[in-house]
Amino acid sequence: MYRSHSCGELRASHVSQEVTLAGWVQKSRDKGFMIWVDLRDRYGITQLIFDEERTPANVFEKAKTLGREFVIQVTGNVIEREAKNAKIPTGDIEILVTELTILNASLLPPFTIEDATDGGEDIRMKYRYLDIRRNPVKNSLIFRHKVTMEVRKYLSSQEFIEVETPYLIKSTPEGARDFVVPSRMNEGQFYALPQSPQTFKQLLMVGGMDKYFQIVKCFRDEDLRADRQPEFTQIDCEMAFVEQEDILNVFEGLTRHLLKEIKGIDVEKFPRMTFDHAMKTYGNDKPDIRFGMEFGELNDVAQHKDFNVFNSAELVVGIAVPGAASFTRKEIDKLIDWVKRPQIGALGMVYVKYNEDGSFKSSVDKFYDQEDLAKWAEKTGAKPGDLICVLSGATNKVRAQLSALRMEMAERLGLRNPEEFAPLWVVDFPLLELDEETGHYHAMHHPFTSPKPGQLELLDTNPSDVKANAYDLVLNGNEIGGGSIRIHDKQMQAIMFKHLGFTEEEAKAQFGFLMDAFQYGAPPHGGLAFGLDRLVAILGGQETIRDFIAFPKNNSGRDVMIDAPAPIDDEQLKELSIKLDM
Ligand code: ASP
């Protein structure tokens, strides 16, 4: 028996028991005649005491050799501490050690195993197994476990069953590049790792499974800006014989269950917003609705004066930043520089201070009088004391820019409270999206998404206007889930593929199996997937998903601990019939 108790377990009620503990040396303090050691395991820290008078001499000598992160086993008696430590649950007691075994020595760790470590991100990732010993990472992993258990509990209670689907598959388009795996037994042929189990879960519906879920790894070879990982985890779900409303209700139920069980928060029915409204009002299809600063479009009131910048713009749009009229000239200049950074890309920013006395002072006073500016205030909902920030340009671009500014201002004003949760359904997404570079349409969600009833004719005339039975669940400005009602009819699916630019042969080669299946009694079905990493991070009140992943990759998709990806040797290449051309 390595241990009778964990390092987080012993209390005053255990005093005078003999116990055996095992764990890591957090730190040791050697006072000459007395040595204290903090012994740590996943459950906590217990103080050990070695005393020249009361501890056997050989044990006392051995205790002097202990270094940080040594793995040890001790036996001793629980005694009451003289100086109690109210900060830790075991702080009333200590162990007067009688036996000590060094199970394994340790090199000096390259960073301190403390909550506030001296180790930077890179070094922590290289020695992630040491990082995991730290509370912030350890607790994040435990937190993730709790969330996934609640997901499984809830979905099982709703009669979903978890089914595994293969990882070695054929491309499933989710808008990213595939990771491919060469097949040794099938020379010159490759599997693709799933970007999601999309087609398989649809086939499970054809197979009559009715309600499926899976907590599953997905793989997307995309640029890793914005806190993404090349492999990430989804809570992937599908249901048969459902309409959009059924799906929204079930997964609203799941989300509410998680908020209740994990955060102790009751949320009202989730609001719903159309994609068009979200874009117009927040410049974004995943609006953070914990705060206002809604967009006010100003074309009506700002154009046809002598200000050419606005006259020539497709959209003039502003937000009222609460209380920011007090910004100094310098602060405003900085803000203008901020929107002009290449990441945001605005050409400039017009501002209006709505002074407490009801007057306006703007950067375009030459072109607009007080009456004009009062109209801007009305459109943006500005109140005295607010600063109206106005951008102009091509609609899509300017909306994205103002959305970024809105989020930045909210951040600066402390309006993004991580302990406040504002879920939202965004519905009625467009079916197709125009790729401005190639001029081709591609599926906004994925090619298996059904158009809204009665919109089929529009596909030929106004493809951009066709709306889909597609929806996203947004939480605090993050898309945490998305899905759709699927096409379940072969002809319809063929029409979709055609509009997405697949020839009949290409569609057959890539998705023939699905179209075939649709001929054997495919039920109406739909589903969605949650991004588990992000969901857990948001519930955990963190901005980055990395600490909730045991072994994450860095921004270049590298695992710096195991040093992957890496070249493979010639022998292996030969076996795979692969020649490199670099
Ligand atoms: N497969 C989709 C995705 O990964 C989710 C869905 O439509 O269910 O985004």
Side-chain angles (χ1 to χ4, degrees), residues 174 195-196 198 201 220 234 236-238 445-446 482-484 486 527-529:
E174 297 280 2
Q195 291 186 36
S196 85
Q198 183 62 36
K201 65 175 171 175
R220 298 185 190 176
Q234 283 189 347
D236 191 46
C237 310
E238 197 76 4
H445 188 49
H446 52 53
S484 60
R486 327 297 185 190
L528 91 181

